[in-house]
Amino acid sequence: MTARNVTGRRVLFWAQRAALWLLAALLGALALGAFASLNPGAPMGLRALSAAEGVVLGGVLGGYLRGLIEALLAALAVLLAARPSGQP
């Protein structure tokens, strides 16, 4: 492999890893918002996050099920982002 090809692969690898971490953070926040929708006494910030989560997913499923699915998807994104790379 040429040095240019190796550098390109490293850039793509780190871009993919950064995108997965961002996706995990976004899904974690959405899960937090879904669980906050179940509590009428949640603080204002969590209620705002809950409203944003409701707009994004449209309230298709119940709050608990949406939160559980989003939390599992966030965990999967973290797993994929933190996996060993095999790069030096």
Side-chain angles (χ1 to χ4, degrees), residues 27-40 42 46-47 49-50 53 62-72:
L27 285 169
L30 287 176
L32 185 60
F35 288 129
S37 70
L38 300 173
N39 183 7
L46 288 179
R47 284 190 292 175
L49 190 59
S50 173
E53 189 268 341
Y64 183 74
L65 187 57
R66 280 193 329 253
L68 189 61
I69 290 170
E70 291 164 355
L72 289 174

Side-chain angles (χ1 to χ4, degrees), residues 2-88:
T2 65
R4 186 175 189 183
N5 191 9
V6 170
T7 303
R9 287 180 58 131
R10 283 186 182 159
V11 168
L12 286 175
F13 170 77
W14 285 109
Q16 176 191 22
R17 187 160 279 194
L20 282 169
W21 280 115
L22 288 173
L23 178 66
L26 176 70
L27 285 169
L30 287 176
L32 185 60
F35 288 129
S37 70
L38 300 173
N39 183 7
M44 181 65 76
L46 288 179
R47 284 190 292 175
L49 190 59
S50 173
E53 189 268 341
V55 168
V56 170
L57 292 179
V60 176
L61 301 171
Y64 183 74
L65 187 57
R66 280 193 329 253
L68 189 61
I69 290 170
E70 291 164 355
L72 289 174
L73 288 175
L76 179 65
V78 167
L79 176 77
L80 291 175
R83 72 182 186 276
S85 66
Q87 291 206 3

